[in-house]
Amino acid sequence: MKMLFLPLLFWILILSTTEVIGDFAPQSRMSIVGGQDAYLGKWPWMAFVQVKTFSRTFQCGGSLLNDRWVLTAAHCLKKPFLEICNSLVVLGGHKLDVCNEHQQTRSIRRVILHEGYTNTNQGSDIALVELDSPVSTSKFISPVTLADSSDRFNETSECWATGWGNIGTQEPLQWPHTLQEVRLPIIDNQHCQKMYNSKYTIQPGMMCAGFKDGRKDTCQGDSGGPLVCKRGNRWVQAGVVSFGKGCAQPFSPGVYTRVSSYKAWITEHIQL
């Protein structure tokens, strides 16, 4: 079993060369607007995913499903000249510029993209990442529970998104790059569609979260990260950060892949 603690200089290099995944419309999402610092170990399934291609480095989020598999967004991994062997996943991360004793880093062994994915606004924006070796689970690193088709979340549900990316349009998260969290209300698909009009089609395999007047949202750096909601006393992952129009813009809530719609696909490929 291996454990790598990445030095400060390494993280500075990563974060200074990381490019925003948002150079197409709709914009893929990368970090938290209107959020706050999360404390160490609060979201133990949270993963930092660094994807390298021949010429660029991309940053995404993800969630730990078991000791070897991470869930993320397909658009994070569908890249020309993807260099899987040079990409990595960090579990137990908190302040990315300051290593902590609970942090574990793994290389990526392989990726599985949903076969229905073509681009974010067409849906099926979901993917699996297999780590090159298992991580050791603890109270700081542990799998998330996935939502079931019977779960119903609405504006009164307690739901949170987490990530390390921008805290505003063209406004990167500053040193020491502490994990951000934001509480977001669920918006039902019908109302979400009305807000977006005909710009995007909000499909059944998608879900929306945010505020009518903007203010709080995921943004560029959070793509692939989890939206978790309370089911009784337990957190379950309801969504995967996918896309949106800008960051925290009025009438433009974040759009997420609805996890329950793809749970059967996930279990086809991995054993939960």
Side-chain angles (χ1 to χ4, degrees), residues 133-207:
S133 64
V135 292
S136 300
T137 57
S138 67
K139 69 176 182 178
F140 298 96
I141 299 176
S142 62
V144 68
T145 299
L146 300 182
D148 296 319
S149 58
S150 58
D151 287 320
R152 296 289 182 269
F153 303 111
N154 55 40
E155 68 278 0
T156 65
S157 302
E158 183 179 356
C159 300
W160 292 75
T162 46
W164 281 285
N166 292 356
I167 56 174
T169 303
Q170 302 300 317
E171 184 180 355
L173 182 65
Q174 297 299 307
W175 188 95
H177 295 94
T178 303
L179 179 65
Q180 298 295 292
E181 63 180 18
V182 65
R183 184 171 179 175
L184 298 170
I186 301 300
I187 299 173
D188 68 73
N189 283 22
Q190 183 178 3
H191 284 90
C192 187
Q193 184 67 73
K194 288 180 179 178
M195 281 190 272
Y196 275 116
N197 293 315
S198 59
K199 186 174 182 62
Y200 309 129
T201 299
I202 307 302
Q203 302 177 17
M206 301 174 181
M207 61 187 300

Side-chain angles (χ1 to χ4, degrees), residues 21-43:
I21 311 172
D23 50 2
F24 57 92
Q27 291 178 319
S28 52
R29 315 314 296 275
M30 292 188 69
S31 191
I32 300 296
V33 178
Q36 62 197 27
D37 290 355
Y39 63 77
L40 178 63
K42 183 175 182 181
W43 311 108

Side-chain angles (χ1 to χ4, degrees), residues 18-33 59-61 75 163-173 217-224 241-249:
T18 296
E19 305 231 11
V20 170
I21 311 172
D23 50 2
F24 57 92
Q27 291 178 319
S28 52
R29 315 314 296 275
M30 292 188 69
S31 191
I32 300 296
V33 178
Q59 170 187 327
C60 276
H75 78 259
W164 281 285
N166 292 356
I167 56 174
T169 303
Q170 302 300 317
E171 184 180 355
L173 182 65
D217 196 5
T218 50
C219 187
Q220 281 74 30
D222 282 330
S223 289
V241 182
S242 183
F243 72 92
K245 179 178 177 292
C247 302
Q249 298 297 309

Side-chain angles (χ1 to χ4, degrees), residues 104-118:
Q104 299 178 47
T105 302
R106 297 290 183 270
S107 297
I108 295 177
R109 181 184 178 189
R110 64 170 169 149
V111 301
I112 302 174
L113 305 181
H114 193 281
E115 56 277 6
Y117 175 76
T118 54

Side-chain angles (χ1 to χ4, degrees), residues 42-61:
K42 183 175 182 181
W43 311 108
W45 44 80
M46 187 66 201
F48 176 84
V49 181
Q50 185 207 9
V51 178
K52 296 200 74 173
T53 68
F54 177 74
S55 60
R56 301 172 68 183
T57 300
F58 298 89
Q59 170 187 327
C60 276

